Amino acid sequence: MTSIDFVTLEVADPAAAERFYTTAFGLTGQIRLRASETPSTGFRGFTLSLVVAQPADVDALVGAAVEAGATTLKPAAKSLWGYGGVVQAPDGTIWQVASSSKKNTGPATRDFQEIVLLLGVEDVKASKQFYVDHGLVVGKSFGGKYCEFDTGTGPVKLALYKRRGLAKVAGVSPEGTGSHRLAIASSAGPFTDPDAFEWTTADVNAER
């Protein structure tokens, strides 16, 4: 089973980014950081999601992120699938915080159940086949719209979504150029996928 050990975000100020992620989300080894000034404009083609148990937990994490310096892209609200909101971290990374539940069942916490990396791709079917050819196992697939991989007990889950659809979910324009400023660490790497997402081996050093 191919798992994702962590993802590395390329940021202008790793120390500031580390303060944000520790303060807002309590993240430690799942997200690593390295300094980079690689040009990137607009939507970087991916989002990271924190999946939580109830709406109160969404509100707690979104509130903590905004207090730590994040920008609200979509205020937390109910939808057909549950409850969630979207924020953009000071380093530019877009985060969704979501729960499939619409009702609270206990006191609010800032605990999360999963981290999900959603890659916005031009051709879901082609990218799915690329990843299957590189050893990943499909968990769920909905035609050419969405694909979720079975990454076992790894700390980060992986899914593919149409780029334009993902940008709409995030509340931003799908336009963007330059680097994704993201590297995915896994035993499956190193390689670069059809949409220029970089995969590395898990022993690649990051600043955190």
Side-chain angles (χ1 to χ4, degrees):
M1 184 69 66
T2 299
S3 64
I4 296 175
D5 298 285
F6 56 86
V7 297
T8 298
L9 301 175
E10 296 182 348
V11 299
D13 187 339
E18 182 171 7
R19 286 194 298 272
F20 171 80
Y21 288 118
T22 302
T23 302
F25 299 145
L27 294 170
T28 53
Q30 310 98 324
I31 304 297
R32 300 194 183 186
L33 306 162
R34 68 185 179 202
S36 175
E37 297 287 351
T38 306
S40 181
T41 64
F43 183 43
R44 284 163 34 192
F46 72 93
T47 68
L48 284 157
S49 298
L50 297 178
V51 180
V52 302
Q54 59 180 356
D57 301 343
V58 173
D59 291 335
L61 283 164
V62 168
V66 171
E67 187 174 340
T71 301
T72 301
L73 296 180
K74 281 190 173 182
K78 288 183 179 179
S79 66
L80 290 174
W81 49 262
Y83 184 87
V86 185
V87 297
Q88 188 166 32
D91 66 84
T93 303
I94 295 173
W95 288 83
Q96 302 182 56
V97 186
S99 171
S100 60
S101 174
K102 297 181 182 180
K103 294 183 178 180
N104 293 318
T105 56
T109 75
R110 287 165 58 188
D111 297 333
F112 55 87
Q113 300 164 326
E114 289 183 340
I115 301 176
V116 181
L117 172 61
L118 270 164
L119 301 182
V121 301
E122 292 301 323
D123 187 329
V124 171
K125 287 185 177 180
S127 290
K128 176 178 72 174
Q129 187 58 53
F130 175 88
Y131 281 115
V132 168
D133 291 343
H134 281 75
L136 277 77
V137 176
V138 174
K140 299 178 184 177
S141 182
F142 300 95
K145 295 183 178 180
Y146 177 83
C147 176
E148 183 179 303
F149 295 97
D150 185 350
T151 51
T153 59
V156 182
K157 307 301 180 184
L158 176 68
L160 307 176
Y161 201 30
K162 291 282 289 184
R163 180 186 172 98
R164 287 189 172 276
L166 183 58
K168 184 176 181 180
V169 169
V172 297
S173 166
E175 304 305 319
T177 61
S179 172
H180 296 297
R181 301 187 77 167
L182 171 78
I184 306 160
S186 167
S187 60
F191 58 80
T192 301
D193 84 354
D195 294 272
F197 287 103
E198 177 193 357
W199 285 63
T200 66
T201 55
D203 60 355
V204 171
N205 292 326
E207 294 198 13
R208 169 187 161 191

